[in-house]
Amino acid sequence: DPETTQKSRALEILASIADRALDAGRLDDAEDLLKTTLLDMAQESSLGHALEADSLDFAVRYALRLADATGTSRWFDFTLDLLKSQRTPCSEALAKSLSSTMKRLTTIDMERLTTYAKALRQTGTGTTVQSATFVDELVQDALRRRDA
């Protein structure tokens, strides 16, 4: 599909520019570059449209990079909302990425995490039940850090 190929190429170019900005510590520039695309994806998702796998991967990867770089939960929350709305299972690799980012944040929205786990459980497949377990572990980890 030419449109999909064109969109993938545009994301690759955007990723390359954003990587350079992030690597140079120009967080505001990186966020400005990524914000419109990420928010457009969130809007599509909130309207019930399924994102293509490469678009979803891009959104999750760069939202977590922004959360890591800024140390604020805004982009982490965005990631959880997007994963939930897309009913994206939480793989072990994704759980590790989420956990790594959580460690850099000062606040975690526990309700968002538990809502994501509940949404995974409600789909009822073996993959999503295992995914919910990964998210439950993230919740427990966040609670331990909060109470420490």
Side-chain angles (χ1 to χ4, degrees):
D1 177 10
E3 185 179 334
T4 301
T5 302
Q6 186 176 11
K7 187 185 284 186
S8 292
R9 183 68 187 130
L11 290 177
E12 288 173 17
I13 292 168
L14 182 59
S16 174
I17 297 167
D19 284 338
R20 281 187 248 146
L22 286 164
D23 292 345
R26 296 188 336 260
L27 304 181
D28 289 341
D29 291 344
E31 190 170 30
D32 287 344
L33 281 167
L34 295 165
K35 182 172 26 182
T36 301
T37 300
L38 293 175
L39 294 177
D40 285 348
M41 289 182 194
Q43 183 176 6
E44 284 295 308
S45 185
S46 71
L47 294 172
H49 300 283
L51 297 178
E52 294 185 22
D54 64 333
S55 294
L56 181 61
D57 289 344
F58 173 90
V60 168
R61 183 173 62 248
Y62 283 95
L64 290 177
R65 282 203 68 192
L66 287 171
D68 275 346
T70 62
T72 60
S73 61
R74 173 180 172 209
W75 291 109
F76 185 80
D77 293 347
F78 167 92
T79 303
L80 293 177
D81 292 344
L82 188 64
L83 292 169
K84 179 181 164 247
S85 68
Q86 290 291 297
R87 294 178 178 82
T88 304
C90 184
S91 65
E92 188 171 358
L94 177 56
K96 285 180 182 178
S97 294
L98 292 169
S99 177
S100 174
T101 299
M102 283 173 46
K103 291 174 184 173
R104 291 178 175 83
L105 303 177
T106 55
T107 60
I108 303 293
D109 185 339
M110 301 302 288
E111 184 63 29
R112 266 195 172 90
L113 272 174
T114 55
T115 300
Y116 177 40
K118 286 178 192 173
L120 291 170
R121 264 192 211 84
Q122 288 172 348
T123 61
T125 67
T127 302
T128 56
V129 170
Q130 177 62 46
S131 294
T133 302
F134 288 138
V135 178
D136 289 338
E137 290 170 4
L138 292 173
V139 170
Q140 294 306 314
D141 187 37
L143 287 170
R144 278 191 297 277
R145 265 187 275 136
R146 183 189 72 189
D147 295 339

